[in-house]
Amino acid sequence: MIALIADGERGMRTVLRRVLQQLDVEALEAENGLELLYMLEEGSAKADLVVVDIDMPIMNGVETLRAIRASEKYRNMPVVCTSAVGDNSVIREVIEIGVSDLLLKPVRHDFALPRFRTVLRNADRRRQQAPARAAAELLIVEPDPNFLAFAKPLLGAHFEVIEATSAPRAAMLFQERNPLPRVVLLPEALPVIDELQMAATLRRIAAKHKADPPEIYLLTNSDPIEPYKASQFHGVLRKTFVPEQFSSALERGVLKLVAPIDRLRELLAGELLPEVLSATQQTIGVLTGQDATHLGPDETARLELPVRSTLVLGTAESGVRLEVSLLSDESSVLRLSAKMLGMDVSMDEGAADVLNELTNTVAGRIRASLLTRDLDLKMGLPSGSIDISALSATSWSQVAAFRSVSGEQMLVGLRVLPES
């Protein structure tokens, strides 16, 4: 694996290079962000990881991170920022842009090593789970020129479309392709070779080529379909000249696309939760200058916390909204505020704003993680409140609780809101 390190200080580049060597990562060095971007774009380094310092000459770390995230080619590149100054506004900015992790200088070897290991592991997991981007070929057999003209542009949004108006012509086109088309749409009542015979013929051609059989779908106006006939196909698509209905059936039946709200629930129940944990720990650690320990399920379930700050990601128009809440108790919020602001404050004179700032930062990290999975949820503004009665962890579908070294406790709760 290869990492690109951009830092104006040669000594710091050496420290980071030695840390990465412990992970079998070769490090190439640049003195500023512009030089790093040049190395990426010229192809002189096929990097798996980028490490940039916030404070660099010519092009600083924030500008470099923004350029990487704006690039279609590199927007999912794992990027770790380093900084000698814990400026809350800058930290919040890089988190919202989409930093993978942030290390405060001086960088300690024993502290940085597991952080880099986690970043690389998460990046590798996302690469393995990323869907294939190459457009697959789809063969549509359709004698009706009107329906063919209607369906082709809708299919072309997802596939490279090959068309045929007869079964014999379709069979010849199918066996000439290399690789063979992955998806085939067959209408009912085909002349010469009917749809069942045609499906069997295409499967025999695939077997002759030692290829996987195609996914064959039946285009029909009939309702209901005879069970035996339906069983010979991967699925059934209703013929319609309503674009929204045909596209919806295509996405559900052929592309197996998941609605945004279902996709979000799936992510929260699986791969996103570890990133929520690390984002919250990192936010608390960087903004307050102390480590936070993740609490186990039993201790989390016993927490009842009355102070809450909530931010909603997404809009009703997007079809999915995620409520992000940070819960704590008043004494914890006051102590955290004193650490962050450098002075004692009351709940009415700044402490509630600190909790809102923490919520905003954690939500920004969650949004950045969702963006890497092609789910863009717009951010609102956090709102804080002291509830009349304490809320328990069971109020949210996904929760994670933390306790700082000095005893402050905090719970992050995530809940998918119903569509409205």
Side-chain angles (χ1 to χ4, degrees), residues 27 35 47 59 71 73 139 141 186 188 231 234 244 252 262 265 286 308 314 320 346 364-365 389 400:
E35 186 178 334
M59 178 178 283
S71 166
K73 186 176 181 180
L139 171 63
V141 189
L186 297 178
E188 280 190 302
S231 70
H234 277 74
E244 293 79 9
R252 290 195 314 271
D262 295 326
R265 289 189 176 117
V286 172
R308 175 174 48 143
V320 58
S346 66
R365 286 293 304 275
S389 59

Side-chain angles (χ1 to χ4, degrees), residues 131-143:
R133 296 290 181 179
E137 287 188 336
L138 176 145
L139 171 63
I140 179 172
V141 189
E142 180 51 66

Side-chain angles (χ1 to χ4, degrees), residues 249-266:
L250 178 70
E251 291 174 358
R252 290 195 314 271
V254 178
L255 298 172
K256 306 296 189 294
L257 296 183
V258 180
I261 191 168
D262 295 326
R263 173 65 172 150
L264 180 58
R265 289 189 176 117
E266 175 186 302

Side-chain angles (χ1 to χ4, degrees), residues 159-355:
F159 298 95
E160 182 180 339
V161 179
I162 306 163
E163 58 183 272
T165 57
S166 70
R169 174 62 177 161
M172 295 299 296
L173 287 174
F174 182 81
Q175 68 179 353
E176 289 172 359
R177 308 301 294 182
N178 184 23
L180 301 178
R182 183 174 66 83
V183 179
V184 179
L185 304 185
L186 297 178
E188 280 190 302
L190 272 171
V192 185
I193 306 175
D194 68 26
E195 58 274 18
L196 291 176
Q197 291 176 312
M198 184 62 180
T201 299
L202 295 178
R203 293 185 183 109
R204 285 196 295 270
I205 292 173
K208 181 180 178 181
H209 284 71
K210 297 182 179 179
D212 292 332
E215 295 181 12
I216 305 176
Y217 296 85
L218 181 66
L219 287 169
T220 180
N221 291 316
S222 302
D223 190 14
I225 301 295
E226 181 185 349
Y228 172 75
K229 178 185 282 191
S231 70
Q232 303 304 301
F233 299 91
H234 277 74
V236 176
L237 291 180
R238 301 292 173 188
K239 278 192 173 182
T240 173
F241 281 94
V242 179
E244 293 79 9
Q245 292 181 9
F246 185 78
S247 294
S248 178
L250 178 70
E251 291 174 358
R252 290 195 314 271
V254 178
L255 298 172
K256 306 296 189 294
L257 296 183
V258 180
I261 191 168
D262 295 326
R263 173 65 172 150
L264 180 58
R265 289 189 176 117
E266 175 186 302
L267 288 171
L268 288 179
E271 63 187 82
L272 187 63
L273 196 56
E275 294 188 23
V276 173
L277 295 177
S278 64
T280 307
Q281 284 181 298
Q282 180 190 16
T283 300
I284 296 173
V286 172
L287 295 182
T288 67
Q290 59 179 332
D291 290 331
T293 302
H294 176 221
L295 303 182
D298 292 340
E299 194 168 1
T300 298
R302 291 195 295 269
L303 288 178
E304 292 188 351
L305 304 170
V307 182
R308 175 174 48 143
S309 175
T310 296
L311 184 148
V312 175
L313 294 173
T315 63
E317 290 74 20
S318 68
V320 58
R321 293 178 298 153
L322 175 64
E323 179 186 277
V324 181
S325 293
L326 253 65
L327 285 78
S328 189
D329 57 82
E330 189 167 337
S331 62
S332 292
V333 174
L334 292 174
R335 292 199 301 273
L336 286 171
S337 300
K339 290 183 176 71
M340 292 178 60
L341 300 175
M343 62 179 183
D344 292 332
V345 292
S346 66
M347 291 297 295
D348 296 331
E349 297 176 351
D353 293 335
V354 167
L355 188 63

